Amino acid sequence: MDYAVHKAERELPSVNAEAMRMVLTLNRATSMVVYDLESSVHRPRGWTWPGFRVLFALWLAGPMEAKTTAEISGMSRAALSALLNTLERDGLLSRERATHDRRALQLSLTDEGYGAILGVFRAHNRRESAWAEALEPEERRELVRLLNKLMAGSTDAQAKFRN
């Protein structure tokens, strides 16, 4: 990271090195946490990170349309569509035509999917807890506060989001 920032500063003197370092650090930390969760919790159970996000969204919000599931889980509709085949084949979710709009797909957890997400989330949360232990409780609260502030400020930056 230091090399990237120093090179950018040398070759592009107007670069905002502090902003670059912040975003690189945030991206690196996010990648490390996601990789750890995926490799230690989800892949050993035959799941992918996107598969977990979809099942987690359905567990939290209950049955919903596929397009809403894609939005909540941060996926494109195309990526979700490909993933649904696997999750349905594995008996974790079911797809039905929505009663209010026959063109829309309604997704819901099966009983097997409900039990699976509970078990996987317990393991997932144990890893989250291991990561959180690196900070004191007040530091965790401050980090969450700062990340929320950063996300709220993203509208000022006219950030684009997947929907």
Side-chain angles (χ1 to χ4, degrees), residues 103-116:
R103 295 169 297 171
L105 275 180
Q106 182 84 3
L107 306 178
S108 57
L109 291 175
T110 61
D111 290 342
E112 184 178 342
Y114 184 82

Side-chain angles (χ1 to χ4, degrees), residues 65-134:
E65 285 188 30
K67 70 178 185 176
T68 305
T69 306
E71 290 170 12
I72 289 174
S73 61
M75 301 174 68
S76 69
R77 289 187 194 179
L80 176 65
S81 181
L83 179 59
L84 292 180
N85 293 330
T86 301
L87 296 174
E88 187 174 40
R89 182 199 69 217
D90 292 346
L92 301 172
L93 65 75
S94 63
R95 295 187 264 198
E96 297 176 357
R97 291 282 162 206
T99 54
H100 69 283
D101 181 352
R102 301 297 294 160
R103 295 169 297 171
L105 275 180
Q106 182 84 3
L107 306 178
S108 57
L109 291 175
T110 61
D111 290 342
E112 184 178 342
Y114 184 82
I117 191 64
L118 291 180
V120 169
F121 184 68
R122 284 183 188 103
H124 180 100
N125 187 246
R126 282 192 296 274
R127 291 302 303 153
E128 289 175 327
S129 297
W131 278 94
E133 286 174 8

